[in-house]
């Protein structure tokens, strides 16, 4: 792995683990951190030895938001040419499953980062919110869109327009997180889930992720047509033959990702 200054990257078996590592700044997402994060995720995505990825912070904070000091004097042109917001799109393009392991604060850009992931495991101390309205701006990295698609118009309006924060349990009730666990277990829970995902058929896992995301972006008719095409496509893979043969022979499949 490359050397990074604002994140820590390691692999545990077939799981890539990325830790946001600006503790003095509450893991504020400055340009350097976002570039390093997207570069690390791109590298893990290209590594055939990695099957799933976990992004986390620390027990006190996942990420408290964007780096306001860096943004405070920016002009519209500065924001456009910096490519900062575009980095969130690069995360969205990662083909392997990404799990956010969230403890403590996930606010603003930190919450948006968590929502770019495919699943969220939250500790009991996790808090979620979009407080940009207090700065005279709005969420700019998907917060108004992903949040509304998950919780609906009315709660999203209150969170975006009036800085309502959600506890971990509230987030679970609204479908924003997969599950809530004690603080001392949240990272282990996310890693266990990632290990389970990494043990699945790689090509089917990738296409399944694409198909579920397609449901958020298209009509039902278009989504069903896409699902059918990629379902048929998987019958051209060696993993489909191996998976079905292993089922018939009552043994564990040996996936090859081909």
């Amino acid at each position: 792995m490359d050397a990074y200054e604002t994140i820590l990257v390691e692999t545990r078996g077939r799981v890539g683990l990325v830790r946001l590592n600006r503790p003095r700044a509450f893991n504020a997402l400055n340009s350097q951190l976002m570039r390093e994060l997207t570069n690390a995720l791109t590298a893990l995505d290209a590594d055939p030895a990695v099957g799933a990825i976990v992004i986390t912070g620390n027990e006190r904070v996942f990420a408290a938001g964007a780096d306001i000091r860096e943004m405070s004097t920016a002009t519209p042109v500065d924001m456009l040419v910096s490519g900062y917001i575009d980095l969130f799109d690069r995360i969205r393009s990662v083909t392997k499953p990404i799990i956010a392991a969230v403890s403590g604060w996930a606010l603003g850009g930190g919450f948006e980062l968590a929502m770019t992931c495919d699943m969220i495991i939250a500790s009991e101390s996790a808090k979620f919110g979009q407080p940009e309205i207090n700065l005279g701006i709005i969420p700019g990295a998907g917060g108004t869109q992903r949040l509304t698609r998950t919780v609906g118009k009315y709660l999203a309006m209150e969170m975006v327009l009036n800085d309502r924060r959600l506890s971990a349990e509230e987030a679970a009730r609204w479908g924003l997180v997969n599950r809530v666990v004690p603080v001392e277990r949240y990272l282990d829970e996310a890693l266990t889930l990632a290990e389970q995902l990494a043990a699945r058929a790689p090509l089917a896992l990738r296409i399944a992720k694409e198909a579920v995301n397609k449901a958020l972006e298209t009509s039902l008719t278009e989504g069903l047509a896409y699902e059918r095409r990629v379902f048929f496509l998987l019958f051209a893979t060696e993993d489909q033959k191996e998976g079905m043969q292993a089922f018939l022979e009552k043994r564990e499949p040996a996936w090859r990702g081909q």
Side-chain angles (χ1 to χ4, degrees):
M1 287 291 173
D2 295 334
Y4 300 109
E5 296 180 359
T6 64
I7 61 174
L8 301 173
V9 183
E10 62 180 292
T11 55
R12 299 191 183 186
R14 285 183 49 77
V15 175
L17 174 60
V18 183
R19 296 178 186 266
L20 310 182
N21 191 39
R22 296 187 70 210
R24 292 184 180 179
F26 301 100
N27 289 340
L29 306 177
N30 65 0
S31 297
Q32 181 183 3
L33 186 151
M34 287 300 299
R35 284 194 301 271
E36 291 185 353
L37 175 62
T38 52
N39 288 341
L41 293 175
T42 299
L44 291 168
D45 199 28
D47 186 348
V50 172
I53 302 166
V54 173
I55 301 176
T56 193
N58 56 57
E59 290 186 358
R60 294 181 56 210
V61 60
F62 177 72
D67 192 320
I68 304 307
R69 188 176 301 278
E70 186 178 72
M71 286 184 171
S72 61
T73 59
T75 67
V77 173
D78 291 334
M79 294 302 296
L80 175 65
V81 301
S82 73
Y84 176 83
I85 297 297
D86 297 336
L87 295 172
F88 286 83
D89 294 332
R90 283 184 59 189
I91 297 171
R92 181 173 171 272
S93 70
V94 171
T95 63
K96 292 171 183 174
I98 305 176
I99 301 167
V102 178
S103 188
W105 295 105
L107 300 177
F111 187 21
E112 291 172 304
L113 173 59
M115 288 191 290
T116 66
C117 297
D118 303 301
M119 303 173 206
I120 302 175
I121 300 297
S123 85
E124 292 171 334
S125 72
K127 304 281 189 196
F128 302 90
Q130 299 285 174
E132 289 89 346
I133 197 74
N134 299 326
L135 304 173
I137 58 173
I138 67 168
T144 65
Q145 302 304 301
R146 292 188 178 93
L147 181 62
T148 304
R149 282 166 168 75
T150 303
V151 305
K153 170 185 172 180
Y154 300 101
L155 180 58
M157 283 286 191
E158 188 175 1
M159 293 181 71
V160 173
L161 276 63
N162 203 39
D163 189 21
R164 175 174 170 181
R165 313 280 175 94
L166 296 184
S167 68
E169 291 295 342
E170 287 175 312
R173 286 200 298 271
W174 285 98
L176 273 167
V177 304
N178 291 73
R179 50 187 164 274
V180 179
V181 298
V183 173
E184 61 271 18
R185 283 182 43 213
Y186 83 100
L187 182 55
D188 288 340
E189 188 79 11
L191 289 168
T192 296
L193 177 57
E195 289 166 2
Q196 293 169 348
L197 294 168
R200 306 293 182 186
L203 291 175
L205 198 68
R206 172 177 177 169
I207 288 178
K209 172 175 171 171
E210 291 177 1
V212 173
N213 281 330
K214 189 72 70 175
L216 298 176
E217 300 166 359
T218 63
S219 68
L220 177 59
T221 299
E222 293 170 318
L224 288 171
Y226 178 83
E227 178 189 76
R228 194 162 303 163
R229 287 196 301 273
V230 293
F231 171 74
F232 294 154
L233 176 64
L234 284 169
F235 280 77
T237 67
E238 293 181 18
D239 280 351
Q240 175 267 329
K241 304 297 185 293
E242 166 64 11
M244 293 192 175
Q245 192 62 35
F247 175 84
L248 294 172
E249 295 174 0
K250 297 181 172 57
R251 60 174 174 83
E252 291 296 317
W255 307 122
R256 298 184 60 191
Q258 296 179 358

